[in-house]
Amino acid sequence: CYPGQAFQVPALPACRPLLRLQCNGSQVPEAVLRDCCQQLAHISEWCRCGALYSMLDSMYKEHGAQEGQAGTGAFPRCRREVVKLTAASITAVCRLPIVVDASGDGAYVCKDVAAYPDA
């Protein structure tokens, strides 16, 4: 993993159902959570946020959603801001640390995913 690395689409296929369910306020089955967390755990701490961004970006592109649209495509009952914050918190839900900057400082919530304007 390195800065700017592109992830294969679809990135994190096991986390897509988790994001949809969480964002739409549905109960997340334990198996869905486990599968996503196991898949995310196989990605370096440095790359987890990038993988989540790539997953979110590909989900929007697959459904043809335009910037600023809400209630369409992959997340019919969820505003974009909520989708981004939900995706950014998946690492925390899984209790998987991330590295937030070159100093090696760690965290559990992906700030770059939540702040990314086009996701």
Side-chain angles (χ1 to χ4, degrees):
C1 170
Y2 53 88
Q5 175 183 359
F7 286 87
Q8 290 184 357
V9 174
L12 298 171
C15 292
R16 289 165 168 242
L18 173 67
L19 181 58
R20 282 190 192 104
L21 290 167
Q22 276 189 325
C23 192
N24 291 324
S26 300
Q27 183 70 28
V28 176
E30 186 64 35
V32 171
L33 178 62
R34 181 188 64 242
D35 291 348
C36 173
C37 293
Q38 285 177 350
Q39 191 171 62
L40 196 55
H42 286 37
I43 295 174
S44 162
E45 293 177 16
W46 290 91
C47 301
R48 289 176 181 150
C49 293
L52 287 167
Y53 160 69
S54 181
M55 174 192 71
L56 185 56
D57 186 53
S58 67
M59 290 175 79
Y60 276 123
K61 286 178 181 173
E62 287 167 13
H63 291 278
Q66 299 297 314
E67 178 61 32
Q69 282 185 320
T72 60
F75 310 101
R77 289 175 273 169
C78 203
R79 290 190 345 256
R80 273 190 187 248
E81 297 80 23
V82 176
V83 175
K84 289 191 287 186
L85 291 171
T86 303
S89 69
I90 289 177
T91 48
V93 169
C94 292
R95 296 186 185 103
L96 294 170
I98 57 167
V99 177
V100 293
D101 60 33
S103 70
D105 286 343
Y108 283 92
V109 176
C110 298
K111 292 184 174 131
D112 56 340
V113 173
Y116 195 84
D118 295 329

